[in-house]
Amino acid sequence: MDCGWISSMTKILQSNESPTGQAITDNDLSWIASSLSIAAIFGISWIIRLSYPTTITLILSRVLSGLSAGGCFIIVPMYVKEISQDDIRGVLGTLVILLQTTGLLFMYVIGTYLSYFTVTVITLSISIAATILVFKAPESPAFLVKLEKYEEAAETVAYLRGLDKNDKTVQNVLDCMKDEEALFKSLPNITFASIFKNRTWRRALFLITATFVFHALNGTYVIVTYASTILISTGVKFEISPEVQTFSFPIFMIVGSLLLAAIVEKVGRKPLLIGSFLITAICMALIVIMMILQERGWNVPSWLPVLAIVMAVSMYGAGVSPLPYIIMTEMFSFQIRAKAMGMIVTVAWSFTAVLVISYTPMNNYIAPYAPFILYAVINFLGSIFTLLFIPETRAKTEEQINTLLENGMNAKNRHK
């Protein structure tokens, strides 16, 4: 929800009725927007926005939200990987982004029709409820095995798979976890230095980090953050307000996420990610062309820029956002998963912060279409990089994926 807060609150924050007591400038707004990514708690952040809204406290509240968001984007994909079966882990991995976009739509709607303080109270209540519900979630079976709580681990596996605790499948899963834990304990202490020294781990780290850089600089996060502002900058006259028009963005992101969930285990991760980057690049290029045409006095159908933006955000929900997280959890072995994911997500949020901070200066001092030229190039390069270097991880074991990483892309045909 916090991702959509800026878009729905921009009109209020930059008006004379701003809760800060004065209209916030474009520069201040860009820092408030990017501070979520700089830090990437929620409860505390909403309390700050409710009790004492100023430019400084709004930035602080977004920083605190970012701390929580950054942790969620590391822990949740790992948790999903550890509790899910291999044949449905891709589907479950898409739910993270599906629920995020659902929250985005909810924030767009309430932010358009309700007051600043009413929105803050509602979101604070949801944060408190979510915190309470987390205590009902089962502990990861792999973590329970690590603590040698084998009985509880078996009960959890049985509960998650809808089986009896004594079922052979449950015992096989538990035995695999015990073997993995025994192997992990036999290895020397894993450090960041040892990750870089190991050729397979180093290659995986480079590939996923590069993928997340393309993901972070993709440009869709800027569209989501500044949705209403970007629609206005296209120069098209709308029969309904831009704030209402932006409702279509998260709706199509949800549709994209649902489509991905339906086909990710059939088509595979790699072709979907290539297609998502490539279609987004085309959409960003179309936005550039339409903005230039508007600037030169040409008439552009009002539905065309909306269609281009909607297609871009649909591809974000259908591939650019969820697939790197799915591939990341599948590519790293259990020994380094936590350390590597923490490092990569930190890098990704750092680049996202740069993306959000840079949008307003580029828009104001170069041209409204300047950022979208950059986004088009980045997405095109992302598609080429994925085509050439990212291995397909669908339906492959960790051993098969490690073989691909050790031998390079030429080894992939051995496991088809």
Side-chain angles (χ1 to χ4, degrees):
M1 290 190 298
D2 221 330
C3 295
W5 183 77
I6 284 292
S7 177
S8 59
M9 289 291 109
T10 294
K11 190 173 182 179
I12 295 175
L13 293 174
Q14 293 195 310
S15 70
N16 293 329
E17 298 177 359
S18 172
T20 63
Q22 59 183 2
I24 289 177
T25 65
D26 287 344
N27 186 57
D28 287 340
L29 188 68
S30 68
W31 279 102
I32 293 171
S34 63
S35 56
L36 173 71
S37 307
I38 292 173
I41 21 242
F42 275 117
I44 296 175
S45 77
W46 292 111
I47 290 172
I48 291 174
R49 285 177 230 195
L50 182 64
S51 59
Y52 190 61
T54 67
T55 300
I56 299 299
T57 56
L58 288 178
I59 292 175
L60 176 62
S61 70
R62 294 277 289 180
V63 168
L64 293 175
S65 292
L67 290 170
S68 178
C72 287
F73 276 98
I74 296 171
I75 296 170
V76 173
M78 281 195 340
Y79 180 74
V80 170
K81 170 70 165 63
E82 292 178 0
I83 68 170
S84 59
Q85 302 164 227
D86 289 346
D87 58 344
I88 62 170
R89 66 193 181 199
V91 175
L92 293 180
T94 63
L95 295 180
V96 178
I97 303 303
L98 175 61
L99 294 174
Q100 180 192 16
T101 51
T102 302
L104 190 67
L105 174 61
F106 178 71
M107 179 58 73
Y108 276 12
V109 172
I110 65 173
T112 299
Y113 294 109
L114 302 179
S115 70
Y116 173 91
F117 290 101
T118 303
V119 168
T120 307
V121 169
I122 291 173
T123 47
L124 174 60
S125 302
I126 293 174
S127 297
I128 293 172
T131 303
I132 295 172
L133 289 173
V134 165
F135 287 101
K136 300 293 291 182
E139 183 55 83
S140 162
F143 182 72
L144 293 173
V145 169
K146 182 182 178 68
L147 298 179
E148 298 184 358
K149 296 182 178 181
Y150 303 126
E151 189 72 15
E152 190 176 345
E155 291 174 356
T156 303
V157 172
Y159 168 74
L160 291 170
R161 302 201 177 193
L163 300 171
D164 185 84
K165 185 178 70 173
N166 297 317
D167 190 279
K168 185 177 180 180
T169 301
V170 174
Q171 296 304 315
N172 289 339
V173 171
L174 199 62
D175 289 340
C176 289
M177 291 181 181
K178 289 179 181 178
D179 292 341
E180 288 182 349
E181 182 60 26
L183 176 60
F184 179 72
K185 288 181 178 178
S186 69
L187 296 172
N189 185 41
I190 303 296
T191 63
F192 287 115
S194 61
I195 292 175
F196 283 103
K197 289 178 182 178
N198 183 291
R199 182 175 180 271
T200 303
W201 293 348
R202 185 174 65 246
R203 179 178 173 83
L205 188 65
F206 166 75
L207 292 177
I208 295 299
T209 301
T211 302
F212 266 86
V213 169
F214 289 119
H215 157 270
L217 297 178
N218 152 270
T220 311
Y221 192 86
V222 163
I223 293 176
V224 171
T225 303
Y226 296 110
S228 57
T229 304
I230 289 173
L231 275 178
I232 294 171
S233 71
T234 61
V236 177
K237 305 299 182 182
F238 297 98
E239 295 181 3
I240 57 176
S241 70
E243 288 78 17
V244 174
Q245 193 84 324
T246 58
F247 292 175
S248 61
F249 297 173
I251 289 173
F252 279 91
M253 289 174 72
I254 292 170
V255 172
S257 297
L258 290 172
L259 178 62
L260 177 66
I263 64 175
V264 67
E265 294 297 347
K266 299 176 182 177
V267 178
R269 287 68 160 135
K270 182 171 180 173
L272 289 173
L273 188 56
I274 293 170
S276 298
F277 274 130
L278 194 57
I279 293 173
T280 305
I282 295 171
C283 292
M284 295 296 183
L286 286 174
I287 293 171
V288 172
I289 293 170
M290 286 184 286
M291 285 185 173
I292 292 175
L293 290 176
Q294 280 283 347
E295 189 178 78
R296 298 188 177 183
W298 289 59
N299 290 324
V300 176
S302 60
W303 55 267
L304 201 53
V306 176
L307 177 63
I309 295 174
V310 161
M311 283 298 297
V313 298
S314 296
M315 291 303 101
Y316 189 75
V320 174
S321 184
L323 286 174
Y325 284 97
I326 295 172
I327 295 171
M328 176 171 62
T329 60
E330 294 175 330
M331 192 174 289
F332 290 119
S333 62
F334 67 96
Q335 299 103 315
I336 66 166
R337 189 174 292 135
K339 283 186 172 65
M341 287 177 65
M343 186 189 311
I344 291 167
V345 172
T346 299
V347 171
W349 279 109
S350 299
F351 276 97
T352 300
V354 172
L355 178 84
V356 178
I357 291 173
S358 63
Y359 171 75
T360 299
M362 292 179 71
N363 178 74
N364 291 346
Y365 301 117
I366 302 178
Y369 53 80
F372 294 94
I373 295 175
L374 177 64
Y375 306 153
V377 172
I378 288 171
N379 280 282
F380 179 73
L381 293 177
S383 66
I384 299 298
F385 179 85
T386 304
L387 175 66
L388 296 178
F389 299 110
I390 298 298
E392 177 58 70
T393 59
R394 178 180 65 93
K396 288 185 172 65
T397 64
E398 286 186 1
E399 291 76 15
Q400 290 174 325
I401 294 172
N402 283 336
T403 301
L404 289 175
L405 293 170
E406 288 172 7
N407 301 331
M409 298 303 291
N410 292 332
K412 65 182 178 180
N413 293 326
R414 301 177 188 176
H415 306 291
K416 286 186 176 181

